[in-house]
């Protein structure tokens, strides 16, 4: 199958809707422009991939740099289309806005180029790709530990908001 930008947008919305309904997820409950702007800054300040940095530069017109916070704060209006898109009130018209939205909701199969190359909408087919889980029983915890291939997950107690991805 050939996946389109519309498939990508829908997968991003589904990820957002699943996570926003989860009581463990507070990050995206508020869709105000200033809140989304601040969330965006936090994500980029924490460090993201080269692809994500390219999205930032393309969307905002300047490279991410922690010294440019004041310039970034002036870009609050750019988040309005993202908020209305997530509320299903409007559609996004640019790929850059769509890719930035994917970053904000932590959609793993981004940017669109990677989503299209992947050849599947695994998030829609496998909701466990989400980092937010409502419950996590012992059997699932054992499976995650086995699939982590030696990665230390011994401190994981099933109640954390961030769950290792299963691929």
């Amino acid at each position: 199958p050939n996946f389109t930008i519309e498939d990508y947008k829908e997968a991003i919305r589904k990820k957002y809707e699943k996570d926003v309904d989860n009581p463990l997820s507070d990050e995206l409950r508020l869709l105000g422009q200033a809140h989304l702007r601040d969330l965006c800054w936090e994500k980029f300040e924490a460090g993201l991939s080269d692809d994500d940095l390219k999205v930032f530069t393309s969307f905002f017109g300047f490279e991410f740099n922690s010294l440019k916070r004041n310039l970034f704060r002036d870009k609050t209006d750019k988040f309005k289309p993202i908020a209305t898109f997530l509320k299903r009130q409007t559609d996004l018209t640019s790929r850059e806005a769509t890719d930035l939205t994917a970053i904000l909701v932590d959609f793993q199969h981004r940017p669109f180029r990677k989503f299209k190359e992947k050849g599947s909408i695994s998030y829609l087919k496998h909701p466990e790709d989400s980092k937010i889980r409502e419950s996590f029983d012992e059997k699932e915890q054992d499976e995650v530990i086995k699939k982590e291939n030696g990665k230390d997950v011994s401190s994981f107690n099933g109640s954390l908001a961030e769950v290792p991805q299963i691929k």
Side-chain angles (χ1 to χ4, degrees), residues 37 41 60-63 67-76:
R37 178 203 62 210
W41 185 262
F60 292 107
F62 59 91
E63 289 184 12
L67 300 175
K68 295 183 180 178
R69 180 140 190 160
N70 287 338
L71 178 61
F72 179 77
R73 290 184 69 76
D74 292 339
K75 303 293 184 184
T76 304

Side-chain angles (χ1 to χ4, degrees), residues 43-108:
K43 287 187 176 285
F44 278 90
E45 211 170 36
L48 291 171
S49 72
D50 287 342
D51 282 333
D52 292 342
L53 291 170
K54 288 176 188 172
V55 168
F56 183 98
T57 301
S58 180
F59 185 77
F60 292 107
F62 59 91
E63 289 184 12
F64 176 79
N65 180 327
S66 60
L67 300 175
K68 295 183 180 178
R69 180 140 190 160
N70 287 338
L71 178 61
F72 179 77
R73 290 184 69 76
D74 292 339
K75 303 293 184 184
T76 304
D77 288 348
K78 292 184 83 66
F79 291 93
K80 184 174 184 172
I82 293 172
T84 57
F85 168 77
L86 290 172
K87 294 177 188 173
R88 294 189 176 268
Q89 295 171 347
T90 61
D91 197 14
L92 291 171
T93 56
S94 76
R95 182 169 299 168
E96 291 83 9
T98 305
D99 284 334
L100 187 70
T101 305
I103 293 167
L104 292 175
V105 303
D106 201 26
F107 184 73
Q108 296 299 305

Side-chain angles (χ1 to χ4, degrees), residues 2-151:
N2 210 3
F3 295 103
T4 66
I5 190 76
E6 296 308 315
D7 295 325
Y8 182 54
K9 289 176 184 178
E10 186 58 24
I12 292 167
R13 278 182 170 146
K14 295 272 189 202
K15 167 76 165 83
Y16 163 75
E17 289 166 352
K18 180 178 183 350
D19 289 352
V20 81
D21 287 340
N22 188 313
L24 299 175
S25 174
D26 287 331
E27 230 173 39
L28 288 169
R29 288 203 196 283
L30 302 172
L31 287 178
Q33 294 166 224
H35 177 75
L36 290 174
R37 178 203 62 210
D38 293 346
L39 175 64
C40 180
W41 185 262
E42 288 171 18
K43 287 187 176 285
F44 278 90
E45 211 170 36
L48 291 171
S49 72
D50 287 342
D51 282 333
D52 292 342
L53 291 170
K54 288 176 188 172
V55 168
F56 183 98
T57 301
S58 180
F59 185 77
F60 292 107
F62 59 91
E63 289 184 12
F64 176 79
N65 180 327
S66 60
L67 300 175
K68 295 183 180 178
R69 180 140 190 160
N70 287 338
L71 178 61
F72 179 77
R73 290 184 69 76
D74 292 339
K75 303 293 184 184
T76 304
D77 288 348
K78 292 184 83 66
F79 291 93
K80 184 174 184 172
I82 293 172
T84 57
F85 168 77
L86 290 172
K87 294 177 188 173
R88 294 189 176 268
Q89 295 171 347
T90 61
D91 197 14
L92 291 171
T93 56
S94 76
R95 182 169 299 168
E96 291 83 9
T98 305
D99 284 334
L100 187 70
T101 305
I103 293 167
L104 292 175
V105 303
D106 201 26
F107 184 73
Q108 296 299 305
H109 308 295
R110 65 179 189 255
F112 174 65
R113 171 183 46 80
K114 286 186 178 176
F115 175 82
K116 191 174 181 180
E117 287 170 4
K118 200 122 177 103
S120 69
I121 306 177
S122 62
Y123 178 77
L124 296 175
K125 292 179 182 175
H126 304 287
E128 68 271 10
D129 279 356
S130 173
K131 286 189 174 186
I132 307 293
R133 295 288 299 266
E134 288 186 31
S135 65
F136 205 82
D137 65 32
E138 287 181 29
K139 183 179 177 189
E140 288 176 308
Q141 183 176 346
D142 289 342
E143 290 174 19
V144 169
I145 291 169
K146 288 175 189 172
K147 290 183 180 184
E148 283 297 307
N149 296 329
K151 190 175 179 183

